[in-house]
Amino acid sequence: MMRRKNDNKRYFTRMGTRKKVHAFVRVKPTDDFAHEMIKYGDDNKSIDIHIKKDLQKGVVNNKQTDWSFKLDGVLHNASQDLVYETVAKDVVAQALDGYNGTIMCYGQTGAGKTYTMTGTTENYKHRGILPRALQQGETNRIIASHTMNKNSSRSHCIFTIYVEAHSRTLSDEKYITSKINLVDLAGSERLKKSGSEGRVLKEATYINKSLSFLEQAIIALGDQKRDHIPFRQCKLTHALKDSLGGNCNMVLLTNIYGEASQLEETLSSLRFASRMKLVTTEPAINEKYDAERMVKNLEKELALLKQELAIHDSLANRTLVNYDPMDEIQIAEINSQVRRYLEGTLDEIDIINLRQIQEVFNQFRVVLSQQEQEVELTLRRKYTLIDKNDFAAISAVQKAGLMDVDGHLVGEPDGQGFGLGVTPFSAKPGKKAKSKKMFKEQLRPSTPPPKPVAFEDFKNERGSEINRIFKENKSILNERRKRASETTQRINAIKREMDVTKEALNFQKSLREKQGEYENKGLMIIDEEEFLLILKLKDLKKQYRTEYQDLRDLKAEIQYCQHLVDQCRHRLLMEFDIWYNESFFIPEDIQVSLKPGGSIRPGMVPISRIMSLGEDDQDKFSQLQQTELPEGPDSFSFYNAKVKTEQKHNYLKTMMGFQQAHRK
Ligand code: ADP
Ligand code: MG
C-alpha cells in the first residue's frame, strides 16, 4: 500500500534556509484495519479520519466528525528497510556532513515506537533505525560512539550518536562534528485508559507531564514570535534542548494503531504530529578548526612567502630588506624622519616595506598628538581658557566687563553655527569697558560694540534681506523635518499594524493546521476571518509603500533645504563681517575708495602711509583713553581728536590685514 515517491527523497537542503520538521506516520500492521474511518490521501501525504455519527458520542467527545492531517508520508505495512530509507537515511547522511539530526518516535504504548527505533534483535531484517544508522556511519568510516539503555514503555529513551569527521587530506584543518539523536518517547496514551495504579500511575503521571512539557516547548518553537522556549521545565526537554528545532534536521515519526478501538489515541497522536509540523529549524554545518593543523599550515605558508619575498627583492635589486618587526632604534629613526618631513627639512620618506609604512603612520599620530599638547600648553601659559559650554563662567566674565570686543558672536536662537569665544583676560586688565550708551551717542565709536550686539543691528539694517531669506529657508526646512517625522510615525504605526495582522493571520493558519485542514478538490478552504486579514494585510502593505516613497522624497528635500540654509548662514556671517569692519574700522572716505571700481584695492595702500604711525602712537593713545576719559567727560574735543587718530590707526591695521590675506 505504501508507494515510494521520488519527491520523498532528499528532504534536506544545504544550509541557511528554514525548513519544517518532517512528520511521518507509521501504522502498526493489523488484520482489523478501520478502512471506514482511516483513509490515506492519493499522494500518501495525508490521513483523513472519519467518525460515524453513532460512534461519535462513545469515542470522541467532539462535535467534529471529520479530520484531515497533512504529513510528509504515511507508512502502512512498510518494512523496516523502507522506514529507514524514508525517515532516517538522509538525516544520517547529512549528519556525516556536519548537520545535527533528530529522529523522534511518538505514540501510544504498543504502537511500535521501540520496534521502529531499535527493532527486534532476533531477526536481522527487523533491526530498527538505530543499528542501521550505526551501520551507515560505519560504511563511511566514521567513528561513532553510543550508549544503549534498556528501554521500557514507561520511560523516554534517547540514543545519541556523536560524529566527528576529518578530511582524508592531512593538511585540511577543518573538521566537522555532529550529533544524531534517536528518541524513543514513552507512551503518550491518556491515564484513564491505561488503568494504572500505584507506582505505575505515578510514573505514568510523570511521563504524561514530561510529554506535555515537550508539547509546550514544541508549540513555543512553532510560534516564530516567541523567543523564550521552555526547555528547562523537565529532564526530557532539557536533554533535547539542542535537538529540538534549532540548527538540526528533525523528523517526527508518529506510531499509530489502525484499529477503530484506538481511534481516540490515534487522533490525539495525529494532532501532535501536525503541531510538530509547524516547527521550523535552520540546519547548519558544525564546522571546527583543528588549531594544531592550522598553525602548522600557517607556518608553512609563512616560510614560503618569505622565500617568495627574497626572490622578489633579488629580482628588484634590493638587498637585505629586513621584514622583521621594528626595534626601538628603527622606530626612533622613523619618528625623526616624520618630524623633519613636517618641518620641511626632509622632502620625502622613502618607502621600504609595509611594516615601515605602518610605522610612519604611527609616528605621524605620535607627533600630531604631541604637538596638540604643546599648543594647548602654550595657550594655557598665556591665557586663561574658559570652556565654551560653561555659560556661568562666560556670563561672569561678561559681567565683569572682561569680555573682549572681539569675542565671537552669540549664536542665533537655534544655536546653530555660531560659537562664543572668550579672549584673554590679560588683554584688558580689570578696566571696565565703556558703557553701551557711549556707543550710541557717537556715530563711529572708538571702541566698536560687541559683535553680538552689532549682529542684531546688522540684521535690521543691511543684512535684513538676506536674514529674511535665511529665516524663510529655515522655516521651510523645519516644516519638511516635521513632515518627515510625522511620516515616519505613520510608517511605524502601519508597520505595527502589519505585525499584528500577520500575527493574527499566523494564528488563524496554525489553528487551521492544528484542527486538520479542509480541502475541497485541491482548493484550500479559508474562513472569512482569515480572508479579511489577508485583504487587510495587502492594503497595509500598499499604504506602507506609498508612505515610504513619500519619506524618501522628503528626505531628499530636507537635504537640499539644509544645504540652502547652510549657504545662507555662511553668506549672512560673511556680509556681517564686512559690514562690521566697514562700520567700525574703515573711515567712510576710504570705504568709497574701497568699493568695486574705487581707487584703492586691498594690498595697494601706499607704504608711506603705513609707516606714518608707529607702535608708540598706539600706546600713548590707549593710555590717554584710559586715564583721561573716565575723569574728564568734558574734554570732548580732545577726545574727538584722539578718536580720529585711533580711527586712522585702526584703518591701517585693517589694511595691513587685507594685504597679508591678499598675499597668502
Ligand atoms: P512501543 O514501543 O510503541 O510501546 P513496541 O515497539 O514495543 O511498542 O511494539 C509492541 C509490539 O508490537 C512488539 O512486540 C513489536 O515487536 C510489535 N510491533 C510493533 N510494530 C510492529 C511492526 N511494524 N511490525 C511487526 N511488529 C511490530
Ligand atoms: Mg517502547
PDB file of all heavy atoms in Angstrom, residues 426-447:
ATOM      1  N   SER A 426      44.218  88.912  30.192  1.00  0.00           N
ATOM      2  CA  SER A 426      45.388  89.776  30.292  1.00  0.00           C
ATOM      3  C   SER A 426      45.320  90.935  29.305  1.00  0.00           C
ATOM      4  O   SER A 426      45.943  91.959  29.501  1.00  0.00           O
ATOM      5  CB  SER A 426      46.654  88.954  30.051  1.00  0.00           C
ATOM      6  OG  SER A 426      46.504  88.228  28.854  1.00  0.00           O
ATOM      7  N   ALA A 427      44.532  90.776  28.255  1.00  0.00           N
ATOM      8  CA  ALA A 427      44.433  91.827  27.257  1.00  0.00           C
ATOM      9  C   ALA A 427      43.761  93.064  27.837  1.00  0.00           C
ATOM     10  O   ALA A 427      44.005  94.178  27.410  1.00  0.00           O
ATOM     11  CB  ALA A 427      43.659  91.336  26.057  1.00  0.00           C
ATOM     12  N   LYS A 428      42.870  92.886  28.802  1.00  0.00           N
ATOM     13  CA  LYS A 428      42.167  94.028  29.415  1.00  0.00           C
ATOM     14  C   LYS A 428      42.221  93.871  30.923  1.00  0.00           C
ATOM     15  O   LYS A 428      41.320  93.321  31.518  1.00  0.00           O
ATOM     16  CB  LYS A 428      40.692  94.011  28.980  1.00  0.00           C
ATOM     17  CG  LYS A 428      40.538  94.221  27.494  1.00  0.00           C
ATOM     18  CD  LYS A 428      39.783  95.480  27.230  1.00  0.00           C
ATOM     19  CE  LYS A 428      40.059  95.929  25.822  1.00  0.00           C
ATOM     20  NZ  LYS A 428      39.391  97.150  25.485  1.00  0.00           N
ATOM     21  N   PRO A 429      43.268  94.335  31.518  1.00  0.00           N
ATOM     22  CA  PRO A 429      43.438  94.002  32.925  1.00  0.00           C
ATOM     23  C   PRO A 429      42.509  94.796  33.842  1.00  0.00           C
ATOM     24  O   PRO A 429      42.872  95.842  34.365  1.00  0.00           O
ATOM     25  CB  PRO A 429      44.906  94.330  33.191  1.00  0.00           C
ATOM     26  CG  PRO A 429      45.293  95.277  32.083  1.00  0.00           C
ATOM     27  CD  PRO A 429      44.283  95.216  31.006  1.00  0.00           C
ATOM     28  N   GLY A 430      41.292  94.261  33.976  1.00  0.00           N
ATOM     29  CA  GLY A 430      40.392  94.777  35.001  1.00  0.00           C
ATOM     30  C   GLY A 430      39.705  96.083  34.708  1.00  0.00           C
ATOM     31  O   GLY A 430      38.889  96.533  35.500  1.00  0.00           O
ATOM     32  N   LYS A 431      39.989  96.732  33.597  1.00  0.00           N
ATOM     33  CA  LYS A 431      39.340  98.011  33.301  1.00  0.00           C
ATOM     34  C   LYS A 431      37.947  97.767  32.749  1.00  0.00           C
ATOM     35  O   LYS A 431      37.744  96.913  31.903  1.00  0.00           O
ATOM     36  CB  LYS A 431      40.172  98.766  32.254  1.00  0.00           C
ATOM     37  CG  LYS A 431      41.532  99.167  32.793  1.00  0.00           C
ATOM     38  CD  LYS A 431      41.468 100.459  33.581  1.00  0.00           C
ATOM     39  CE  LYS A 431      42.833 100.942  33.948  1.00  0.00           C
ATOM     40  NZ  LYS A 431      43.062 101.282  35.303  1.00  0.00           N
ATOM     41  N   LYS A 432      37.028  98.586  33.212  1.00  0.00           N
ATOM     42  CA  LYS A 432      35.661  98.418  32.743  1.00  0.00           C
ATOM     43  C   LYS A 432      35.521  98.950  31.319  1.00  0.00           C
ATOM     44  O   LYS A 432      36.060  99.990  30.978  1.00  0.00           O
ATOM     45  CB  LYS A 432      34.700  99.191  33.659  1.00  0.00           C
ATOM     46  CG  LYS A 432      34.511  98.494  34.989  1.00  0.00           C
ATOM     47  CD  LYS A 432      33.057  98.524  35.389  1.00  0.00           C
ATOM     48  CE  LYS A 432      32.840  97.496  36.462  1.00  0.00           C
ATOM     49  NZ  LYS A 432      31.814  97.512  37.298  1.00  0.00           N
ATOM     50  N   ALA A 433      34.787  98.215  30.542  1.00  0.00           N
ATOM     51  CA  ALA A 433      34.558  98.688  29.179  1.00  0.00           C
ATOM     52  C   ALA A 433      33.597  99.858  29.231  1.00  0.00           C
ATOM     53  O   ALA A 433      32.840 100.019  30.178  1.00  0.00           O
ATOM     54  CB  ALA A 433      33.961  97.558  28.347  1.00  0.00           C
ATOM     55  N   LYS A 434      33.650 100.658  28.183  1.00  0.00           N
ATOM     56  CA  LYS A 434      32.756 101.818  28.140  1.00  0.00           C
ATOM     57  C   LYS A 434      31.320 101.352  28.040  1.00  0.00           C
ATOM     58  O   LYS A 434      31.023 100.301  27.504  1.00  0.00           O
ATOM     59  CB  LYS A 434      33.098 102.673  26.921  1.00  0.00           C
ATOM     60  CG  LYS A 434      34.199 103.662  27.260  1.00  0.00           C
ATOM     61  CD  LYS A 434      34.558 104.444  26.045  1.00  0.00           C
ATOM     62  CE  LYS A 434      35.340 103.574  25.089  1.00  0.00           C
ATOM     63  NZ  LYS A 434      35.650 104.259  23.867  1.00  0.00           N
ATOM     64  N   SER A 435      30.425 102.183  28.584  1.00  0.00           N
ATOM     65  CA  SER A 435      29.030 101.757  28.587  1.00  0.00           C
ATOM     66  C   SER A 435      28.477 101.790  27.172  1.00  0.00           C
ATOM     67  O   SER A 435      28.990 102.467  26.292  1.00  0.00           O
ATOM     68  CB  SER A 435      28.205 102.683  29.470  1.00  0.00           C
ATOM     69  OG  SER A 435      28.060 103.911  28.808  1.00  0.00           O
ATOM     70  N   LYS A 436      27.409 101.022  26.989  1.00  0.00           N
ATOM     71  CA  LYS A 436      26.780 100.904  25.686  1.00  0.00           C
ATOM     72  C   LYS A 436      26.281 102.273  25.206  1.00  0.00           C
ATOM     73  O   LYS A 436      26.284 102.575  24.030  1.00  0.00           O
ATOM     74  CB  LYS A 436      25.604  99.948  25.823  1.00  0.00           C
ATOM     75  CG  LYS A 436      25.420  99.068  24.599  1.00  0.00           C
ATOM     76  CD  LYS A 436      24.435  97.998  24.913  1.00  0.00           C
ATOM     77  CE  LYS A 436      23.777  97.454  23.687  1.00  0.00           C
ATOM     78  NZ  LYS A 436      22.686  96.561  24.053  1.00  0.00           N
ATOM     79  N   LYS A 437      25.852 103.088  26.183  1.00  0.00           N
ATOM     80  CA  LYS A 437      25.305 104.409  25.865  1.00  0.00           C
ATOM     81  C   LYS A 437      26.299 105.222  25.045  1.00  0.00           C
ATOM     82  O   LYS A 437      25.955 105.905  24.097  1.00  0.00           O
ATOM     83  CB  LYS A 437      24.991 105.154  27.166  1.00  0.00           C
ATOM     84  CG  LYS A 437      23.708 105.963  27.080  1.00  0.00           C
ATOM     85  CD  LYS A 437      23.396 106.580  28.412  1.00  0.00           C
ATOM     86  CE  LYS A 437      22.449 107.726  28.226  1.00  0.00           C
ATOM     87  NZ  LYS A 437      22.534 108.657  29.314  1.00  0.00           N
ATOM     88  N   MET A 438      27.519 105.106  25.438  1.00  0.00           N
ATOM     89  CA  MET A 438      28.572 105.848  24.765  1.00  0.00           C
ATOM     90  C   MET A 438      28.637 105.506  23.282  1.00  0.00           C
ATOM     91  O   MET A 438      28.821 106.364  22.445  1.00  0.00           O
ATOM     92  CB  MET A 438      29.899 105.511  25.443  1.00  0.00           C
ATOM     93  CG  MET A 438      31.044 106.407  25.068  1.00  0.00           C
ATOM     94  SD  MET A 438      30.717 108.104  25.522  1.00  0.00           S
ATOM     95  CE  MET A 438      31.785 108.283  26.933  1.00  0.00           C
ATOM     96  N   PHE A 439      28.453 104.222  22.962  1.00  0.00           N
ATOM     97  CA  PHE A 439      28.481 103.815  21.541  1.00  0.00           C
ATOM     98  C   PHE A 439      27.391 104.533  20.764  1.00  0.00           C
ATOM     99  O   PHE A 439      27.568 104.978  19.658  1.00  0.00           O
ATOM    100  CB  PHE A 439      28.239 102.316  21.389  1.00  0.00           C
ATOM    101  CG  PHE A 439      29.307 101.478  22.003  1.00  0.00           C
ATOM    102  CD1 PHE A 439      28.978 100.387  22.797  1.00  0.00           C
ATOM    103  CD2 PHE A 439      30.644 101.790  21.782  1.00  0.00           C
ATOM    104  CE1 PHE A 439      29.970  99.617  23.350  1.00  0.00           C
ATOM    105  CE2 PHE A 439      31.635 101.014  22.337  1.00  0.00           C
ATOM    106  CZ  PHE A 439      31.301  99.920  23.135  1.00  0.00           C
ATOM    107  N   LYS A 440      26.251 104.579  21.376  1.00  0.00           N
ATOM    108  CA  LYS A 440      25.082 105.119  20.685  1.00  0.00           C
ATOM    109  C   LYS A 440      25.251 106.603  20.389  1.00  0.00           C
ATOM    110  O   LYS A 440      24.829 107.102  19.374  1.00  0.00           O
ATOM    111  CB  LYS A 440      23.825 104.907  21.544  1.00  0.00           C
ATOM    112  CG  LYS A 440      23.379 103.447  21.566  1.00  0.00           C
ATOM    113  CD  LYS A 440      22.353 103.153  20.498  1.00  0.00           C
ATOM    114  CE  LYS A 440      22.267 101.676  20.153  1.00  0.00           C
ATOM    115  NZ  LYS A 440      21.531 100.900  21.124  1.00  0.00           N
ATOM    116  N   GLU A 441      25.873 107.273  21.330  1.00  0.00           N
ATOM    117  CA  GLU A 441      25.977 108.722  21.187  1.00  0.00           C
ATOM    118  C   GLU A 441      26.917 109.124  20.062  1.00  0.00           C
ATOM    119  O   GLU A 441      26.802 110.181  19.483  1.00  0.00           O
ATOM    120  CB  GLU A 441      26.448 109.342  22.503  1.00  0.00           C
ATOM    121  CG  GLU A 441      25.308 109.502  23.479  1.00  0.00           C
ATOM    122  CD  GLU A 441      25.787 109.807  24.862  1.00  0.00           C
ATOM    123  OE1 GLU A 441      26.998 110.025  25.051  1.00  0.00           O
ATOM    124  OE2 GLU A 441      24.945 109.825  25.770  1.00  0.00           O
ATOM    125  N   GLN A 442      27.848 108.268  19.801  1.00  0.00           N
ATOM    126  CA  GLN A 442      28.811 108.630  18.774  1.00  0.00           C
ATOM    127  C   GLN A 442      28.551 107.816  17.527  1.00  0.00           C
ATOM    128  O   GLN A 442      28.226 106.638  17.588  1.00  0.00           O
ATOM    129  CB  GLN A 442      30.206 108.332  19.273  1.00  0.00           C
ATOM    130  CG  GLN A 442      30.639 109.331  20.297  1.00  0.00           C
ATOM    131  CD  GLN A 442      31.867 108.844  20.979  1.00  0.00           C
ATOM    132  OE1 GLN A 442      31.857 108.563  22.147  1.00  0.00           O
ATOM    133  NE2 GLN A 442      32.918 108.732  20.211  1.00  0.00           N
ATOM    134  N   LEU A 443      28.707 108.464  16.400  1.00  0.00           N
ATOM    135  CA  LEU A 443      28.450 107.801  15.140  1.00  0.00           C
ATOM    136  C   LEU A 443      29.441 106.658  14.906  1.00  0.00           C
ATOM    137  O   LEU A 443      29.090 105.584  14.481  1.00  0.00           O
ATOM    138  CB  LEU A 443      28.546 108.816  14.002  1.00  0.00           C
ATOM    139  CG  LEU A 443      27.357 108.714  13.075  1.00  0.00           C
ATOM    140  CD1 LEU A 443      26.197 109.499  13.711  1.00  0.00           C
ATOM    141  CD2 LEU A 443      27.710 109.263  11.705  1.00  0.00           C
ATOM    142  N   ARG A 444      30.680 106.994  15.157  1.00  0.00           N
ATOM    143  CA  ARG A 444      31.700 105.985  14.930  1.00  0.00           C
ATOM    144  C   ARG A 444      32.527 105.853  16.196  1.00  0.00           C
ATOM    145  O   ARG A 444      33.501 106.584  16.392  1.00  0.00           O
ATOM    146  CB  ARG A 444      32.576 106.396  13.755  1.00  0.00           C
ATOM    147  CG  ARG A 444      33.411 105.276  13.204  1.00  0.00           C
ATOM    148  CD  ARG A 444      34.145 105.742  11.999  1.00  0.00           C
ATOM    149  NE  ARG A 444      33.279 105.794  10.853  1.00  0.00           N
ATOM    150  CZ  ARG A 444      32.929 104.715  10.165  1.00  0.00           C
ATOM    151  NH1 ARG A 444      33.368 103.553  10.506  1.00  0.00           N
ATOM    152  NH2 ARG A 444      32.142 104.821   9.125  1.00  0.00           N
ATOM    153  N   PRO A 445      32.118 104.982  17.076  1.00  0.00           N
ATOM    154  CA  PRO A 445      32.800 104.913  18.367  1.00  0.00           C
ATOM    155  C   PRO A 445      34.219 104.403  18.203  1.00  0.00           C
ATOM    156  O   PRO A 445      34.509 103.657  17.281  1.00  0.00           O
ATOM    157  CB  PRO A 445      31.962 103.927  19.162  1.00  0.00           C
ATOM    158  CG  PRO A 445      31.289 103.090  18.128  1.00  0.00           C
ATOM    159  CD  PRO A 445      31.114 103.936  16.913  1.00  0.00           C
ATOM    160  N   SER A 446      35.066 104.823  19.147  1.00  0.00           N
ATOM    161  CA  SER A 446      36.454 104.373  19.073  1.00  0.00           C
ATOM    162  C   SER A 446      36.545 102.881  19.377  1.00  0.00           C
ATOM    163  O   SER A 446      37.340 102.174  18.798  1.00  0.00           O
ATOM    164  CB  SER A 446      37.287 105.144  20.080  1.00  0.00           C
ATOM    165  OG  SER A 446      36.789 104.883  21.373  1.00  0.00           O
ATOM    166  N   THR A 447      35.709 102.440  20.295  1.00  0.00           N
ATOM    167  CA  THR A 447      35.682 101.007  20.576  1.00  0.00           C
ATOM    168  C   THR A 447      34.387 100.455  19.982  1.00  0.00           C
ATOM    169  O   THR A 447      33.305 100.890  20.374  1.00  0.00           O
ATOM    170  CB  THR A 447      35.689 100.751  22.090  1.00  0.00           C
ATOM    171  OG1 THR A 447      36.755 101.509  22.638  1.00  0.00           O
ATOM    172  CG2 THR A 447      35.885  99.290  22.387  1.00  0.00           C
TER     173      THR A 447
END
